[in-house]
Amino acid sequence: ALLATRVAAFSALPEAPEPSLLDEAEWRLVKKAAPWTRRAGLQVVEINEKFVLMGGRTARAPSTPVPIPGDSQVWSDVWESADDGVTWTQIAENGGSHWAPRAYFKCIVLGDRAYVMGGQNYKVVAAPGAGMQGGGGPPGDAAGPPPGIAGDAMVAASDFFNDVWSTNDGVAWRRETEHAGWTSRAGLSAITFDGALVVLGGSVNDDAAILAGPSARIYHNDVWRSQDGANWTQLAEHAPWAKRAGAALAVMGDALFLFGGECGFLADVDGVLPYFNDVWRTRDGARWERVTAEAPWPSRPGHWVLPLADRFVLFGGFRPDETGIGEDNPVDMWTSADGEKWSLLAARPWSATTSADVKYDFAAIVSSSSSDSSIYTFGGDRETFNFFDPVNYLRIDNDVWAFGPVRHAHGVEVGAAAKLEVIPDPKYLLPV
């Protein structure tokens, strides 16, 4: 067969390869401002050929005189779209009888049902040492709030979940279990693989980036499997990849792949970020093989990897600037057929012109029912860790974008390089 291939190669000039979908794909703005409130840490799935969007957090305007890092309105509302994200209808109220409001959870589809699991609620409490005077310092500085400010500031003290709920329409929900076999966590990774739900990694307790002090955050590298959301089997207590949250998962062929993630948001004293850009794969969830220790794309959390045109497409995510409180989000898109060899795409995510346009903690899916093969993204975060910035909280989005073949449909702005705006609007000035 090898000889025949060589003979054929010399017997005729090779034909130029056909352009792939990814070579021709572009970003298009589907909806600039959807009716659901701006949010990050949300989830979107496809049920009955409709997009179903739910949950997440919306940052509140900073309180004065001391901002509350991470202070957020958290959601459990559910919305659906039957026209690829152009129009939306609310189908479940926030705070209804279904699962509690949460962000950084997962919702995945198995069979004809979607399963919500894990997450956190961004509860805030009085800061330790209430009644003391602050010593001054920026967010994350142990010196605390500015001098002369009474120590009655509030800090994040989230509740974390390990319940599982399911639905076949986004309206009627049933609780499969109050407490799954895996411990409560947010930033978990989950996917449907080999006919079952798979949950792995994640963390519990709030991060130092919003605590203004040391973090008690605990990370996981366990792997769990369930065929019904109620009964769980542990496949690995400690997988060989480092404990982490925010890893991306994708399936290609008969293998499950893991990409990147984080074990903290702030750099250490040497300026090293606790982010990952390794790739691992497994065929059973128990035995893992490292594909590459360091992929060419910059390490990151808050990203997505999705299969499109028989290749992985990686984009989005968070990286701080050298000050630690600004952003330097990666303005790149990468593709790979095997998770080891990667190519940089010419396209920039969301037609970004600067790193400030790049999102993290957005929702994304590859639609199986839209009129083409496209990646769709929903909402997302562009905040920095500068909680004293009076408009930082507005850098959360409620737009819908698609990455795929260029087309004109539903009034889509084809190839749009729309500026992601920060516009004060009373609609988003939520009460503290």
Side-chain angles (χ1 to χ4, degrees):
L2 179 59
L3 178 60
T5 300
R6 288 177 173 172
V7 170
F10 283 103
S11 63
L13 291 174
E15 295 182 2
E18 291 292 327
S20 73
L21 170 68
L22 298 180
D23 292 329
E24 299 178 338
E26 289 187 7
W27 283 92
R28 58 186 185 271
L29 180 61
V30 175
K31 187 73 171 179
K32 185 175 183 180
W36 34 271
T37 308
R38 302 182 188 203
R39 62 189 68 190
L42 68 161
Q43 288 286 286
V44 176
V45 294
E46 205 165 12
I47 307 175
N48 303 324
E49 298 187 347
K50 298 177 182 178
F51 294 162
V52 179
L53 176 148
M54 67 201 79
R57 57 168 281 268
T58 302
R60 300 184 196 271
S63 57
T64 55
V66 182
I68 306 171
D71 185 25
S72 302
Q73 169 71 54
V74 183
W75 304 100
S76 63
D77 55 344
V78 183
W79 297 73
E80 71 175 14
S81 173
D83 55 7
D84 299 345
V86 178
T87 62
W88 293 86
T89 302
Q90 186 171 3
I91 58 175
E93 297 290 333
N94 192 54
S97 59
H98 55 298
W99 39 274
R102 65 192 65 193
Y104 307 111
F105 62 107
K106 282 296 178 182
C107 184
I108 54 178
V109 174
L110 176 64
D112 64 351
R113 301 191 70 81
Y115 294 79
V116 160
M117 57 194 78
Q120 67 186 97
N121 65 1
Y122 276 80
K123 182 179 68 178
V124 296
V125 299
M132 298 175 63
Q133 298 295 309
D141 192 314
I149 300 301
D152 57 357
M154 308 292 284
V155 295
S158 293
D159 295 316
F160 289 77
F161 303 104
N162 66 339
D163 54 347
V164 180
W165 295 73
S166 77
T167 184
N168 63 4
D169 61 6
V171 179
W173 293 82
R174 75 181 183 214
R175 188 172 65 187
E176 302 294 349
T177 181
E178 184 177 4
H179 298 291
W182 39 271
T183 57
S184 300
R185 63 191 69 184
L188 65 164
S189 301
I191 199 168
T192 303
F193 176 62
D194 194 24
L197 309 171
V198 174
V199 165
L200 55 85
S203 67
V204 66
N205 299 329
D206 293 293
D207 192 81
I210 62 173
L211 290 179
S215 173
R217 204 165 165 210
I218 298 170
Y219 301 88
H220 301 288
N221 61 350
D222 50 351
V223 184
W224 296 79
R225 182 179 190 271
S226 174
Q227 292 182 303
D228 59 9
N231 302 287
W232 292 84
T233 300
Q234 188 176 64
L235 301 178
E237 182 179 5
H238 296 292
W241 37 269
K243 296 179 179 181
R244 68 190 68 187
L249 299 180
V251 174
M252 187 74 75
D254 64 349
L256 169 62
F257 289 73
L258 176 149
F259 311 83
E262 51 86 9
C263 59
F265 291 117
L266 302 178
D268 63 18
V269 293
D270 297 319
V272 177
L273 289 167
Y275 300 169
F276 300 98
N277 62 342
D278 52 351
V279 180
W280 295 76
R281 70 183 170 200
T282 181
R283 287 179 170 81
D284 60 11
R287 293 166 293 183
W288 291 80
E289 173 189 10
R290 188 171 65 189
V291 178
T292 180
E294 290 189 40
W297 37 269
S299 59
R300 66 191 72 185
H303 58 304
W304 275 81
V305 179
L306 291 163
L308 187 66
D310 298 321
R311 299 179 69 86
F312 296 123
V313 178
L314 179 148
F315 64 102
F318 176 79
R319 286 183 67 89
D321 65 8
E322 59 186 14
T323 71
I325 63 172
E327 55 74 27
D328 188 21
N329 297 338
V331 189
D332 57 6
M333 295 186 70
W334 295 82
T335 181
S336 173
D338 59 8
E340 180 180 8
K341 301 179 181 67
W342 293 85
S343 299
L344 183 64
L345 290 174
R348 292 185 166 202
W350 305 286
S351 300
T353 56
T354 71
S355 63
D357 297 331
V358 175
K359 307 167 187 281
Y360 60 95
D361 295 339
F362 52 98
I365 62 171
V366 175
S367 175
S368 60
S369 63
S370 65
S371 57
D372 56 33
S373 296
S374 292
I375 291 172
Y376 285 80
T377 74
F378 311 83
D381 208 337
R382 295 178 291 113
E383 294 175 283
T384 70
F385 286 132
N386 183 2
F387 301 110
F388 287 86
D389 179 349
V391 298
N392 188 41
Y393 78 106
L394 291 169
R395 296 187 179 101
I396 293 180
D397 301 318
N398 62 336
D399 50 4
V400 180
W401 289 75
F403 176 72
V406 178
R407 66 184 177 91
H408 293 267
H410 300 307
V412 169
E413 301 177 32
V414 178
K419 181 66 177 175
L420 297 174
E421 298 171 306
V422 177
I423 303 174
D425 187 325
K427 178 179 178 182
Y428 307 114
L429 298 176
L430 301 174
V432 174

